[in-house]
Amino acid sequence: MRLRLSQQATELAYSVFLVVLIPAAVIGSTLWLTSQVKSNFDLELRRKANLANEVFGVSVANALRTSSTDQAAQTIQSLIDESRRHAPDIEQLSVAVPDADKFKTLASSDPAKPGRSDESIQTQFAYSRAQSVASLIASGEGESRQWLVATPVLGPDGQPIAVTSMRVSLHAADELMASTLRTTFIVLAVILVVIILLLLNHFRFVEYAELFRKQKELDQMKDDFISIATHELKAPMSVIKGYLSMILEEKLPKAPADMAKIAYDQTDRLGRLVTDLLDVSRIEQGRTKYNIGSVDLPATIGPMMGNFEVKAKDKKIGLRYAPPENLPAVKADPDRVMEIFTNLIDNAIKYSRTGTVRIEHTVSPAAVMTAVSDTGIGMSPEEQGKLFQRFYRAKNDDTKDIAGTGLGLWIIKQYIEAMGGTITVTSEKGKGTTFSVLLPRVTPEAPQTD
Ligand SMILES: Nc1ncnc2c1ncn2[C@@H]1O[C@H](COP(=O)(O)OP(=O)(O)OP(=O)(O)O)[C@@H](O)[C@H]1O
Ligand SMILES: [Mg+2]
């Protein structure tokens, strides 16, 4: 029982693990992938802006080398206008030259800038280090991001003579990225739905596997039952047949009365088996009749004790039943009550080697509990878990020589529950067992009010 529970818990934990892990892995990998693509995209654009700036720088260097500053400014301005016409992503393009210890804008796509001083750090940095500087800037909340690339223009001696600054908008790239992300998330959502459906299916498979396991267990119990029932039928029949043939052949090893008694007991055993089988089929078809009335438990159980005296004495087992006087009556069918306690006392003697079988009552406001306890072989927790299943019999060295069909407890449990009661068990292997039957009182005590 505990084993099965822990197996079920493992299966559940595994399924929950799948439900959490798989979608988390898919979401995580998608986010990581898109962020990678985005930063690669940014880097690629920066590289392109750098390249464009360098190519543009060559034309600027030519213009500065071959003509006067004013003429060069005009040539560069027309180069800038031309470039912007062909590349609308270029937001701004300017060329600055050193002027005293500052920089002056020579030509720019912004008509306000030529002739003005250029104080940008990027320009100063690119000039002083003679290398390109690129920075990613966002013009404002929700506005497009831009790469600002400042590239030094080198003179014939390899020294910087000017700085080109280009601002490239990432607007188109960001739009493209956003639409790719949207598509990715839609695909991700679809994948998640598919995964969840598959996982739900997986749960159903787990359920089917559990059902299949239960079915197999029941089949196994039925097989066991058939072999037990066959044995239970055959054993008394061969004893009866043996004694009858001895009587017929007039070979009398015992007194005829003793032989008849043995044969009679065996027919009793057969009768019990047939009764059990009929009870099972009646319960299963809902045909059991209950004549519910007021049952005086000591008056019902007391006389039954005599039936067990011989059996108990044979095994040197003590039988103790000392009911209190004025025990409240219970609401039940007297015949079923007899069957219930016959079965429990029979089991208590049958599954004990020695010791004492006790029957005790405990009264509560609404019910009477009757405990049948023994000091017998007891049961493991796993055996206790299956005890009330149809056809179940504990299989171990202690029980292998004890006859039975595994129906008794199942039958009485159905009776007890149909009469509004409960049956519970406590047992310890090798120490003993107690079955407690709770039946409702005919007149429950009114709750006490202070
Ligand atoms: N008092 C007990 N002590 C130890 N084991 C018990 C006790 N009562 C029942 N069992 C275990 O529970 C199993 C089921 O009991 P149940 O009375 O249903 O069937 P049975 O005694 O095997 O056959 P029958 O149908 O003839 O009563 C038994 O086979 C036995 O293993
Ligand atoms: Mg029994």
Side-chain angles (χ1 to χ4, degrees):
M1 173 85 155
R2 215 178 279 164
L3 199 78
R4 187 159 353 128
L5 277 180
S6 77
Q7 194 181 331
Q8 281 172 350
T10 317
E11 276 166 10
L12 191 75
Y14 175 66
S15 306
V16 171
F17 175 70
L18 285 184
V19 170
V20 176
L21 185 84
I22 296 180
V26 174
I27 293 173
S29 75
T30 308
L31 289 177
W32 181 78
L33 220 76
T34 46
S35 81
Q36 282 302 98
V37 168
K38 193 165 187 267
S39 66
N40 285 345
F41 217 71
D42 286 354
L43 278 179
E44 180 58 17
L45 275 172
R46 183 180 114 168
R47 209 179 59 79
K48 282 208 171 127
N50 240 335
L51 195 70
N53 227 3
E54 272 169 21
V55 172
F56 178 66
V58 175
S59 310
V60 171
N62 267 340
L64 284 173
R65 203 164 350 110
T66 53
S67 39
S68 69
T69 312
D70 282 352
Q71 255 181 344
Q74 271 179 17
T75 315
I76 294 167
Q77 186 62 50
S78 57
L79 274 173
I80 287 174
D81 295 344
E82 183 79 357
S83 306
R84 289 214 54 216
R85 255 201 308 281
H86 288 108
D89 284 347
I90 299 175
E91 292 259 303
Q92 213 185 87
L93 186 54
S94 350
V95 174
V97 286
D99 180 29
D101 53 352
K102 290 186 173 171
F103 290 92
K104 186 179 82 181
T105 306
L106 198 61
S108 171
S109 57
D110 180 353
K113 281 201 171 168
R116 297 245 185 114
S117 72
D118 177 349
E119 284 170 6
S120 89
I121 299 169
Q122 283 90 346
T123 303
Q124 290 171 27
F125 197 87
Y127 188 84
S128 62
R129 295 276 176 99
Q131 70 180 55
S132 285
V133 185
S135 27
L136 193 59
I137 48 172
S139 14
E141 185 77 17
E143 303 221 351
S144 79
R145 299 174 309 138
Q146 299 172 340
W147 272 120
L148 172 57
V149 181
T151 309
V153 176
L154 303 180
D157 56 353
Q159 288 305 308
I161 50 170
V163 174
T164 61
S165 301
M166 187 185 277
R167 273 179 188 232
V168 182
S169 165
L170 295 179
H171 181 71
D174 282 350
E175 287 260 285
L176 197 71
M177 203 59 220
S179 96
T180 311
L181 268 179
R182 267 196 300 278
T183 319
T184 310
F185 281 120
I186 291 171
V187 173
L188 180 67
V190 172
I191 291 175
L192 283 181
V193 169
V194 171
I195 289 175
I196 287 168
L197 288 178
L198 286 177
L199 287 176
L200 288 179
N201 229 7
H202 165 80
F203 284 141
R204 205 162 327 137
F205 281 136
V206 171
E207 235 173 68
Y208 285 156
E210 176 63 11
L211 272 177
F212 180 67
R213 200 186 49 72
K214 277 192 180 148
Q215 187 61 45
K216 260 177 76 178
E217 219 171 82
L218 200 69
D219 279 354
Q220 181 60 43
M221 282 202 269
K222 279 195 171 167
D223 288 350
D224 287 354
F225 168 71
I226 289 170
S227 68
I228 289 167
T230 322
H231 174 264
E232 284 293 286
L233 283 169
K234 253 179 118 177
M237 271 188 341
S238 50
V239 175
I240 296 166
K241 202 176 160 195
Y243 280 102
L244 286 178
S245 71
M246 281 187 237
I247 292 169
L248 282 175
E249 289 165 19
E250 294 188 8
K251 287 181 197 156
L252 303 176
K254 291 182 187 205
D258 290 344
M259 290 168 71
K261 171 81 175 72
I262 294 170
Y264 178 82
D265 287 348
Q266 294 303 316
T267 54
D268 212 35
R269 185 172 161 192
L270 273 179
R272 271 205 309 276
L273 177 63
V274 173
T275 313
D276 274 0
L277 290 176
L278 285 175
D279 284 347
V280 171
S281 89
R282 245 185 252 124
I283 292 170
E284 282 187 333
Q285 293 167 10
R287 290 190 291 111
T288 316
K289 292 208 166 54
Y290 297 91
N291 297 314
I292 304 289
S294 169
V295 177
D296 178 353
L297 287 171
T300 314
I301 298 172
M304 277 166 41
M305 302 307 286
N307 303 340
F308 293 105
E309 253 162 28
V310 179
K311 206 172 173 188
K313 222 177 188 169
D314 282 352
K315 292 181 85 173
K316 297 192 174 58
I317 291 173
L319 272 180
R320 303 272 180 279
Y321 182 47
E325 277 177 26
N326 305 324
L327 189 78
V330 292
K331 212 160 61 179
D333 177 333
D335 291 338
R336 306 287 170 226
V337 170
M338 272 176 69
E339 277 182 68
I340 292 164
F341 291 104
T342 302
N343 252 294
L344 291 177
I345 299 167
D346 180 55
N347 276 353
I349 299 172
K350 196 156 88 168
Y351 298 106
S352 294
R353 285 196 199 90
T354 174
T356 311
V357 172
R358 285 196 166 78
I359 299 124
E360 284 157 327
H361 300 290
T362 314
V363 181
S364 62
V368 176
M369 194 184 67
T370 308
V372 179
S373 54
D374 62 57
T375 48
I377 59 172
M379 281 171 278
S380 68
E382 205 197 343
E383 288 166 350
Q384 288 173 50
K386 295 181 177 170
L387 195 61
F388 294 105
Q389 290 177 14
R390 230 174 350 164
F391 312 131
Y392 177 76
R393 301 202 72 224
K395 281 188 211 136
N396 52 51
D397 284 349
D398 294 325
T399 58
K400 67 177 190 298
D401 297 323
I402 304 174
T405 53
L407 288 174
L409 286 178
W410 183 81
I411 293 173
I412 67 166
K413 185 171 197 269
Q414 311 308 308
Y415 290 164
I416 294 167
E417 288 176 354
M419 296 189 298
T422 57
I423 177 166
T424 49
V425 63
T426 54
S427 184
E428 202 177 325
K429 192 103 189 142
K431 292 259 169 75
T433 305
T434 300
F435 283 96
S436 304
V437 178
L438 196 79
L439 289 170
R441 281 171 60 169
V442 176
T443 41
E445 268 171 29
Q448 302 232 326
T449 47
D450 295 323

